[in-house]
Amino acid sequence: MKPDRPLAAVLGADAPGAVVLDGGLSNQLKAQGCDLSDALWSARLLADGPHQIEAAHAAYVRAGAQVLITASYQATFEGFARRGTGRSEAAALLGRSVELARAAGESVGQEVWVAASVGPYGAMLADGSEYRGRYGLSVRELERFHRPRVEALVAAAPDVLALETVPDTDEAEALLRAVEGAGTPVWLSYTVAGGRTRAGQPLDAAFALAAGNNQVIAVGVNCCEPRDVDAAVEPAASVTGKPVVVYPNSGERWDAEGRRWRGGATYDPGRVREWRAAGARLVGGCCRVGPAEIAELARLAGTVA
């Protein structure tokens, strides 16, 4: 059901459990038989198969997810334009991403929050550059890119904006500027490797951008190897004093050139206890983490009601 409480209030409550996020949307869509080979990835289905997106969200709700992340990660005006989609239709598709998640959440008798995904500039390029950052654009240019779709998503009334898979501090600064005055809370989540952002910046400096920003209700990491979460939770909490959000990948690695996943899965829902003890309050999975793992995570997390 549509939540009665702001997500920030639940994250700030003095409770021993955690709020459970969903897992990877793309892997669930593939499990449903969807073709995601298009450059728009899962965002293509906002136009061509919205029922599939709602069904994927519903699978995570049944697994125990309390927060659903929309199918707007790779949805941009520029990406839709390359398919011949005009701005008004593109804005409607961005809004539809929120509506589909909301509809799935309202199918159950518990509160389900909707987080509108605002993916990085590199996601629009569809070449893996979100795992490198440093696109050669200024903070101002990145802000201009992000602001229109932030506005379109906010108009659909999500509970929170997920500024996610952010590879460097320039893009984090641009995103935080783009959401100023939007009136919607946000979380800021970097993609990291080896205790640094993907662009190589220290995590202390990266998280410091959100310190003192009351619009930011959580900070953390996503779309990284599970082992990289451990080094990120403590500095995220200590630098900002905010609840921490973590949702790593399965542990397999994306080969952007070959457009395939390589390696084995290392995602362990049992790690939620250590993450929670270090300050994580919002926990889930990203690429290749499915409903089965989220169900186990919800069982172990002591889900906050």
Side-chain angles (χ1 to χ4, degrees):
M1 67 181 186
K2 190 171 182 179
D4 294 325
R5 302 169 292 172
L7 182 58
V10 179
L11 296 179
D14 185 17
V19 177
V20 176
L21 283 164
D22 57 9
L25 186 62
S26 62
N27 45 269
Q28 178 57 26
L29 289 168
K30 284 187 176 180
Q32 294 170 195
C34 299
D35 178 7
L36 303 182
S37 60
D38 189 272
L40 280 174
W41 203 29
S42 57
R44 176 185 65 80
L45 296 174
L46 291 170
D48 299 345
H51 63 287
Q52 293 282 12
I53 292 176
E54 185 175 344
H57 287 315
Y60 283 114
V61 171
R62 290 193 299 271
Q66 298 167 281
V67 180
L68 299 174
I69 302 175
T70 65
S72 51
Y73 173 81
Q74 207 146 339
T76 64
F77 287 101
E78 292 80 358
F80 283 129
R82 288 198 291 267
R83 286 172 53 94
T85 303
R87 289 189 72 83
S88 61
E89 184 180 354
L93 291 174
L94 283 160
R96 180 178 291 173
S97 72
V98 176
E99 294 163 4
L100 293 169
R102 185 72 75 196
E106 290 180 347
S107 66
V108 295
Q110 64 183 38
E111 290 179 294
V112 177
W113 289 267
V114 172
S117 173
V118 184
Y121 176 83
M124 181 270 295
L125 300 178
D127 62 358
S129 59
E130 67 262 48
Y131 299 117
R132 300 187 297 271
R134 301 294 180 88
Y135 315 111
L137 300 177
S138 68
V139 171
R140 187 178 297 275
E141 288 171 321
L142 288 168
E143 179 188 354
R144 283 200 297 266
F145 167 78
H146 285 296
R147 188 177 291 277
R149 68 178 179 146
V150 165
E151 293 172 348
L153 289 168
V154 167
D159 300 298
V160 61
L161 296 171
L163 313 181
E164 59 176 355
T165 323
V166 180
D168 62 41
T169 55
D170 281 355
E171 186 147 36
E173 183 179 351
L175 282 162
L176 291 173
R177 288 186 184 183
V179 301
E180 284 181 8
T184 301
V186 306
W187 77 60
L188 174 64
S189 180
Y190 289 94
T191 178
V192 300
R196 292 177 173 266
T197 68
R198 293 284 186 165
Q201 297 136 337
L203 292 185
D204 284 357
F207 292 130
L209 289 176
N213 186 328
N214 292 332
Q215 190 176 3
V216 180
I217 63 171
V219 296
V221 296
N222 78 290
C223 210
C224 59
E225 291 191 27
R227 64 183 179 184
D228 285 320
V229 171
D230 296 343
V233 177
E234 190 280 328
S238 62
V239 169
T240 68
K242 296 179 183 292
V244 177
V245 54
V246 296
Y247 48 119
N249 293 336
S250 67
E252 298 159 277
R253 297 189 179 189
W254 175 246
D255 175 0
E257 187 173 328
R259 297 194 66 78
R260 57 175 294 185
W261 292 94
R262 299 184 182 276
T266 59
Y267 185 92
D268 177 10
R271 295 294 297 159
V272 68
R273 296 189 179 98
E274 286 78 9
W275 297 341
R276 181 70 186 95
R281 184 70 170 159
L282 189 57
V283 298
C286 201
C287 300
R288 307 280 285 180
V289 176
E293 290 82 8
I294 295 303
E296 179 65 5
L297 183 73
R299 186 183 72 82
L300 296 171
T303 302
V304 175

